[in-house]
Amino acid sequence: MKLLVKWLFAACALLLVAYLYPGVHIQSFGSALIAAAFIGLFNTLLRPLLVVLTLPVTVITLGLFLFVINALMFWAAASLLDGFNVNGFWAALLGSLIYSVLMLVVDAAMKAIFPRS
């Protein structure tokens, strides 16, 4: 149940990103659900591998390269899906930053909805 609620909140966060920033476009709530699932899968499966492979660059840039990795995950999901479009790398960077902040709010809401017992 917790996973489903977080998935719905993530889709709503994507819709809010598209509403707040004109560089990100989402056609429908169904497209947002699929995009949220893809972003979640990319962040779970690909992001740790990319973080390890780019560790020297991340250390040299004092962690700022992690923003690039987040933007690439966001952009990759948009390039694979119909109904979810991002207007270039800089739009992906800003969209992923907004999405990350919104997902922090979602995580806080999830802790309030599903407290540990």
Side-chain angles (χ1 to χ4, degrees):
M1 182 68 169
K2 184 177 178 179
L3 182 63
L4 249 101
V5 171
K6 186 167 184 176
W7 182 34
L8 290 172
F9 279 162
C12 291
L14 269 177
L15 287 172
L16 189 56
V17 169
Y19 178 75
L20 294 174
Y21 182 60
V24 177
H25 307 281
I26 298 179
Q27 279 184 341
S28 65
F29 186 69
S31 297
L33 282 171
I34 294 169
F38 267 75
I39 291 171
L41 282 173
F42 285 170
N43 284 336
T44 302
L45 301 175
L46 293 178
R47 189 175 186 276
L49 180 66
L50 287 175
V51 168
V52 169
L53 289 175
T54 61
L55 191 59
V57 177
T58 304
V59 170
I60 290 171
T61 62
L62 302 174
L64 292 176
F65 194 73
L66 293 175
F67 290 120
V68 173
I69 291 174
N70 285 343
L72 290 175
M73 296 293 102
F74 200 76
W75 200 11
S79 67
L80 290 176
L81 299 172
D82 293 332
F84 177 41
N85 298 317
V86 176
N87 297 336
F89 175 76
W90 294 109
L93 183 65
L94 191 54
S96 69
L97 285 172
I98 297 169
Y99 183 68
S100 295
V101 169
L102 291 174
M103 288 309 292
L104 286 172
V105 174
V106 166
D107 287 337
M110 292 298 292
K111 287 181 183 176
I113 294 171
F114 298 103
R116 295 197 183 254
S117 41

